[in-house]
Amino acid sequence: MREVAGDDDHWVALAKTGDTVAYGQLALAHQTKLYRFILKYVKSAADARDLTQEALLQGYRCIEAFKGNSRFSTWLTGIALNLARNHVNRAPAEIFVEYDDDGQGAGGHSKGDPLRALQDKEALTSLSVALAALPADMRDCLLLVGMEELSYEEVAQTLGLPIGSVKSKVSRARQRLREALAGGNLFV
Amino acid sequence: MESNTTACEDTLLLLSRGLDRDLSRTETCQMYAHVAHCDNCRKAMGELAEIDGALKALHGQEEQAALGMDFHAEFMRKLNLQPAPSTEQQLQLFGRKVAHNETLRLQLKEAANETAFVTLYVQLGHASGYQFSAEQVASLLGTAAANDELSDMQLDQVAAAGHGFNSQKLLDLLATWTPR
């Protein structure tokens, strides 16, 4: 079965009539993106899979609450973020895992250079640690904007924050990462 | 790495927003104008871009992750195990289905009177897999009629036109009603 976003509005309208087949189509269209998002918080693939199932089920149970003011995928991401946060709070040790690349490293600097590859691996491990050390609200804003490529407005809706706050938190998150990584291997 | 000037603080925010393509042309020019003569901010620009790239590299593995073929089937099993809605909720859900289904609406508009409408509504609901009773539908419509705010003049107009029964009005009520 191919995952195609298609006409979410149509499926949402039918899902609101209790049509589980319609909601199944929505789930199929968004499940992989949701899973990849949750994996950024929860490094265990098994846990991420379970949380993805739970996020989709919560979306079905709460579909009345979706008013169409945002994309359906953004709304689901908000549910997933909440579940991932709760999971991380219960098991904080899981939010950071040493980076293990395939030799490419950050920006491909390490191609053919084992020392550089090691430095890149260390740099990305440091970045992972620094990211995990950010306040949760800053980290969430940064990941949603920088990785999930949601607009500031979508992040503001998802997190219930003013747009200005989102912009400020993303900027401050990036500054904190700069400060944490100063003197390390990331900046050549 | 602290910014010593307001201009630098403003520029750091612009640099961040620039990475997210959130700058107007004027803001972009303002940012570059400052960076041109500020070593600290020029350095910050490079480092922020490095961090942006590194974040994408860090999460590159997640972006390639795939769910197994059985994920969707497992999810649908769980979805179909969700508690069945109450008959009241099913009445509400069918009302919404009718609102989105031209065929059902046309069939219901053929009803000659309220009794026939209710009977047909229940039949069509059951045929679509919803469970509710004629008494529930009649009770809902009776309650709605009692709360109706038609003026005496409007009631006289309806009676004079010979249209004591208005199927569209009933459909609208059933589509928008919510269980208490």
Side-chain angles (χ1 to χ4, degrees), chain A residues 17-37:
Chain A
T17 70
D19 189 333
T20 55
V21 171
Y23 190 80
Q25 290 298 311
L26 287 169
L28 188 61
H30 298 290
Q31 63 189 32
T32 298
K33 192 165 162 58
L34 211 59
Y35 173 65
R36 289 171 178 172
F37 170 71

Side-chain angles (χ1 to χ4, degrees), chain A residues 16 36 40 64 100 152, chain B residues 16 20 61 63 65 74 96:
Chain A
K16 285 190 173 187
R36 289 171 178 172
K40 292 179 175 66
E64 285 297 309
D100 185 20
Y152 287 134
Chain B
S16 176
D20 304 322
Q61 290 174 337
E63 286 304 305
E74 184 184 336
R96 292 218 192 110

